[in-house]
Amino acid sequence: KAGVTQTPRYLIKTRGQQVTLSCSPISGHRSVSWYQQTPGQGLQFLFEYFSETQRNKGNFPGRFSGRQFSNSRSEMNVSTLELGDSALYLCASSWTGTSGRGDTQYFGPGTRLTVL
Amino acid sequence: AQKVTQAQTEISVVEKEDVTLDCVYETRDTTYYLFWYKQPPSGELVFLIRRNSFDEQNEISGRYSWNFQKSTSSFNFTITASQVVDSAVYFCALLLGANSKLTFGKGITLSVRP
């Protein structure tokens, strides 16, 4: 089975712009989660989507948003980029995503976003 | 609130040495799951092992083994006969039973020298 794929792998933007990142989960996985990784804050949970609905959300401003399509592919969007948004954005997919199952999350290679 | 502490920040060993990575977690939930992930320089988080809160049996899988102790809220991970390819950042993570948010520790940078 193919793993989680993320596009693009690298992105350079300037402050004030917006960006859209894409994630394709492992075939059959219905839950997609997004994480931000920075040297200062480490790995932080952004949000999780299951069956096209946002099911969980971390403590990030409304500039960070996402969506999931009927084929489980997900996108996240960051509007009005700030320098502090420079980070590695990781997407993870899990099997059923059913609450209470504690499904293992499998991660993609990440998108490295640099904001100038 | 849940928390994961990885007190070690950097470990350096010589190839073939055994190395243990420590992890201490905090949660009030009775159902939870613990994970270890490896992040090589390429950036991708690679799943290594997983343990459920209701199963304290420790296991060995190849060169990897783990020691889960609920009494001390610890989930330590051991690599036996380390190899240069084991050099990476290792993260311990906690997942609560009714949630899908992984809480990560700060990570341990492991360097294995030839």
Side-chain angles (χ1 to χ4, degrees), chain B residues 17-114:
Chain B
E17 281 186 29
D18 297 349
V19 57
T20 295
L21 310 180
D22 298 334
C23 173
V24 174
Y25 62 93
E26 294 177 30
T27 180
R28 293 181 180 178
D29 283 33
T30 55
T31 300
Y32 53 88
Y33 307 85
L34 294 160
F35 302 83
W36 277 96
Y37 286 88
K38 170 183 177 180
Q39 187 175 44
S42 61
E44 181 174 349
L45 276 171
V46 178
F47 164 70
L48 296 175
I49 58 175
R50 158 206 170 104
R51 209 71 208 151
N52 306 329
S53 59
F54 41 86
D55 183 2
E56 284 191 75
Q57 183 178 354
N58 295 310
E59 294 184 17
I60 297 173
S61 176
R63 295 187 300 111
Y64 299 155
S65 63
W66 50 97
N67 187 335
F68 174 36
Q69 292 192 352
K70 289 176 74 171
S71 60
T72 56
S73 296
S74 64
F75 184 50
N76 298 335
F77 174 59
T78 298
I79 302 174
T80 302
S82 60
Q83 301 174 0
V84 173
V85 293
D86 294 328
S87 296
V89 182
Y90 288 80
F91 292 94
C92 179
L94 170 67
L95 181 68
L96 300 185
N99 207 323
S100 51
K101 165 191 167 184
L102 275 169
T103 299
F104 287 89
K106 291 295 187 184
I108 302 169
T109 300
L110 174 64
S111 298
V112 182
R113 308 186 306 276

